[in-house]
């Protein structure tokens, strides 16, 4: 395989972030965009292992604004890129069982409304009458947004990769970036098994491996990999067609319809950082106990598939987006902390603006800069699952 010898931008990683960045750079007229993915296929790591949820229901202004902008791009996706993405507005329902969560969600609810996100507040009895399949005696209330929903991750990646290629970008698989060279604190080239590519700009879109890319040039990127796992059940004929994305907030437990069955996950908050992607059977038993306590019907069904993937987690559960001041030509789109699929479309556009126009202008992304960690300007997200 021949690889380009020079590029205007090299993107490391072909998940949703790399794919969206490649497409938006090419769309804005960048000529020599090269995306390098080390796996045999694009989008098979965190992006391909995610639950597919999209939601407006966040607790910080920046995350809500990212959702508002991204969702209008998802609405136009098929028209713009010719790729269907199986967008389903089934709604997200956050179940609240503790007084302190009810209080916090009231404040979040106010912020969402101020930004034009019309999440609804449901009382305990309303929640119970909407979800008769679930055991919900302890639920005090819930927030509900019927505009939240689901999308197919693989279609988003394929749509952006195909779109980028049509616009002249080179997107290659089976080609990992082994090293990055600097000249006088500026990006100079990337090394692959097939040779070097000279480039003034590198985009770190390596998901859970983002810190390793930073290490290549001595930049500390505070992103750690944390295992999260999912199981999908065999068909459940009693499941209503519009069963929503339900999150038991106190338990970090979630459910949504996946084909004729249910997809469920439960985050282990004691999971240590590592690149281990084996399913943890002990945790799975705990997860299923909690899941069956909420949906007793699960006792009667089997598991059709299970897998583990890696969240790419930052200390404040917000992404790192934009230029890295220490190294000229180095940019990050990392650390989406378990909710990056939904923000991939807008973040790829914002990074393309930052690179080509000098500054992202569709949205101010200064608060997402890498420098916030050393300046102590963290922006904690409460709604993390
Ligand atoms: C179980 C689970 C459930 C989730 N649920 C949701 C959800 O419901 N909604 C949501 O919005 N988000 C969800 N997420 C989070 C979301 O999947 C991620 O935030 C998002 O996919 C991150 O995309 P990425 O492109 O940064 O990373 P990735 O998809 O991991 O892409 C990074 C790519 O970089 C490649 N790479 C690494 N190193 C190199 C190298 N040296 N050279 C070349 N390539 C390299 C990797 O092979 C990989 O393909 C979930 C994640 C998990 C694990």
């Amino acid at each position: 395989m021949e690889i380009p010898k020079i590029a205007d931008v090299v993107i490391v990683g072909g998940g949703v972030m790399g794919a969206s960045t490649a497409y938006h750079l090419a769309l804005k007229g960048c000529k020599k965009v090269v995306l390098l993915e080390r796996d045999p296929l694009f989008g098979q790591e965190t992006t391909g292992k995610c639950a597919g949820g999209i939601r407006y229901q966040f607790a910080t202004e920046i995350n809500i604004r990212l959702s508002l902008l991204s969702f209008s791009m998802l609405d136009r996706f098929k028209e713009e890129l010719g790729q269907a993405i199986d967008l389903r507005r089934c709604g997200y329902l956050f179940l609240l069982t503790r007084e302190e969560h009810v209080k916090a969600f009231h404040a979040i609810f106010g912020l969402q409304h101020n930004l034009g996100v019309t999440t609804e507040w449901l009382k305990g009895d309303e929640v119970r009458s909407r979800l008769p399949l679930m055991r919900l005696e302890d639920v005090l209330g819930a927030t509900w947004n019927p505009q939240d929903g689901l999308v197919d991750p693989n279609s988003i990646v394929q749509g952006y990769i195909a779109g980028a290629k049509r616009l002249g970008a080179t997107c290659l698989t089976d080609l990992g970036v082994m090293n990055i060279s600097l000249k006088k604190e500026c990006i100079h080239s990337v090394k692959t098994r097939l040779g070097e590519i000279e480039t003034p700009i590198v985009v770190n879109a390596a998901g859970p491996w983002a810190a390793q890319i930073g290490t290549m040039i001595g930049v500390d990127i505070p992103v750690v990999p944390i295992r999260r796992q999912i199981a999908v059940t065999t068909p459940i004929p009693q499941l209503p067609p519009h069963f929503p994305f339900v999150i038991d907030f106190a338990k970090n437990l979630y459910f949504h319809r996946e084909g004729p069955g249910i997809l469920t996950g439960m985050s282990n908050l004691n999971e240590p950082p590592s690149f281990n992607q084996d399913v943890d059977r002990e945790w799975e038993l705990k997860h299923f106990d909690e899941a069956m306590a909420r949906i007793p019907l699960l006792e009667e069904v089997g598991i059709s598939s299970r897998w583990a993937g890696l969240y790419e987690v930052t200390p404040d559960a917000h992404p790192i987006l934009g230029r890295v001041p220490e190294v000229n030509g180095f940019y990050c789109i990392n650390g989406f902390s378990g909710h990056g699929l939904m923000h991939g479309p807008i973040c790829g556009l914002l990074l393309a603006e930052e690179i080509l126009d000098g500054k992202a202008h569709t949205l101010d992304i200064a608060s997402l800069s890498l420098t916030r960690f050393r300046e102590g300007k963290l922006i904690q997200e409460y709604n993390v699952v």
Side-chain angles (χ1 to χ4, degrees):
M1 176 169 61
E2 276 283 304
I3 62 163
K5 297 268 180 298
I6 52 167
D8 293 330
V9 181
V10 170
I11 299 165
V12 187
V16 67
M17 299 305 160
S20 173
T21 306
Y23 170 72
H24 287 105
L25 281 168
L27 187 67
K28 283 177 69 60
C30 186
K31 292 277 174 270
K32 293 186 190 125
V33 177
V34 176
L35 182 151
L36 302 177
E37 166 55 52
R38 70 176 170 195
D39 281 359
L41 297 168
F42 297 109
Q44 298 299 295
E45 286 296 347
T46 304
T47 302
K49 291 167 183 163
C50 89
I54 59 166
R55 58 177 157 112
Y56 291 105
Q57 293 193 64
F58 280 101
T60 62
E61 177 168 346
I62 187 80
N63 271 340
I64 297 168
R65 290 200 187 282
L66 289 174
S67 291
L68 283 163
L69 290 162
S70 226
F71 293 6
S72 60
M73 295 167 82
L74 290 171
D75 281 333
R76 296 194 312 270
F77 201 96
K78 183 156 185 243
E79 193 187 321
E80 181 174 342
L81 286 131
Q83 168 77 53
I85 55 169
D86 199 15
L87 179 60
R88 286 155 281 162
R89 301 275 188 181
C90 61
Y92 257 66
L93 205 146
F94 278 86
L95 301 174
L96 306 172
T97 52
R98 294 191 195 151
E99 287 296 353
E100 76 260 28
H101 293 160
V102 169
K103 211 167 146 200
F105 269 72
H106 264 298
I108 295 166
F109 181 78
L111 174 68
Q112 290 171 4
H113 277 252
N114 288 342
L115 295 170
V117 171
T118 53
T119 299
E120 297 164 33
W121 192 272
L122 303 181
K123 294 195 176 119
D125 285 341
E126 285 174 88
V127 184
R128 284 180 276 280
S129 69
R130 278 178 189 232
L131 295 171
L133 287 187
M134 297 189 73
R135 202 174 273 161
L136 302 168
E137 296 82 353
D138 57 336
V139 169
L140 303 172
T143 59
W144 161 244
N145 193 318
Q147 291 304 314
D148 293 339
L150 291 166
V151 75
D152 176 42
N154 188 45
S155 303
I156 296 183
V157 173
Q158 296 314 325
Y160 279 141
I161 294 284
K165 285 183 175 171
R166 278 195 301 273
L167 293 165
T170 304
C171 302
L172 303 171
T173 52
D174 269 326
L175 203 57
V177 169
M178 296 153 64
N179 212 346
I180 304 172
S181 306
L182 302 181
K183 253 192 194 163
K184 295 188 186 149
E185 291 173 16
C186 297
I187 294 287
H188 174 258
S189 60
V190 301
K191 185 178 169 195
T192 74
R193 68 183 165 82
L194 298 179
E196 291 214 332
I197 305 175
E198 225 173 276
T199 178
I201 294 175
V202 165
V203 170
N204 179 358
W209 296 272
Q212 294 177 355
I213 305 302
T215 303
M216 292 177 184
I217 49 170
V219 176
D220 180 29
I221 314 266
V223 170
V224 292
I226 307 272
R227 176 171 57 175
R228 293 286 182 248
Q229 57 196 46
I230 279 176
V232 180
T233 70
T234 51
I236 304 179
Q238 303 90 325
L239 196 64
H242 300 296
F243 187 76
F245 199 131
V246 180
I247 297 180
D248 181 340
F249 188 68
K251 297 212 165 102
N252 286 291
L253 170 66
Y254 60 87
F255 308 91
H256 71 66
R257 181 181 247 287
E258 184 78 356
I262 279 185
L263 178 152
T264 174
M266 186 168 86
S267 300
N268 177 358
L269 300 188
N270 295 317
E271 181 74 42
S274 88
F275 288 102
N276 183 0
Q277 296 196 60
D278 296 336
V279 171
D280 175 350
R281 294 296 180 137
E282 218 174 290
W283 179 253
E284 193 182 60
L285 287 178
K286 284 188 195 153
H287 167 197
F288 289 172
D289 276 350
E290 296 289 358
M292 287 186 291
R294 279 285 177 227
I295 307 184
L297 256 182
L298 293 180
E299 289 172 27
E300 297 163 29
V301 298
I303 298 301
S304 69
S305 58
R306 48 164 65 83
W307 65 88
L310 300 170
Y311 273 15
E312 357 76 78
V313 177
T314 63
D316 63 1
H318 279 81
I320 300 166
L321 187 62
R323 73 185 67 252
V324 173
E326 297 94 308
V327 178
N328 242 317
F330 189 54
Y331 293 79
C332 284
I333 180 162
N334 301 126
F336 287 80
S337 305
H339 43 262
L341 175 74
M342 63 187 96
H343 291 161
I346 184 60
C347 288
L349 171 65
L350 292 166
L351 195 63
E353 291 176 353
E354 177 100 342
I355 293 169
L356 300 178
D357 307 334
K359 194 174 174 0
H361 42 83
T362 299
L363 184 68
D364 182 353
I365 57 168
S367 64
L368 301 178
S369 156
L370 176 64
T371 58
R372 75 180 184 273
F373 300 105
R374 57 172 180 262
E375 289 164 359
K377 292 184 181 159
L378 275 66
I379 27 167
Q380 206 65 48
E381 172 58 58
Y382 190 76
N383 274 13
V384 179
V385 182

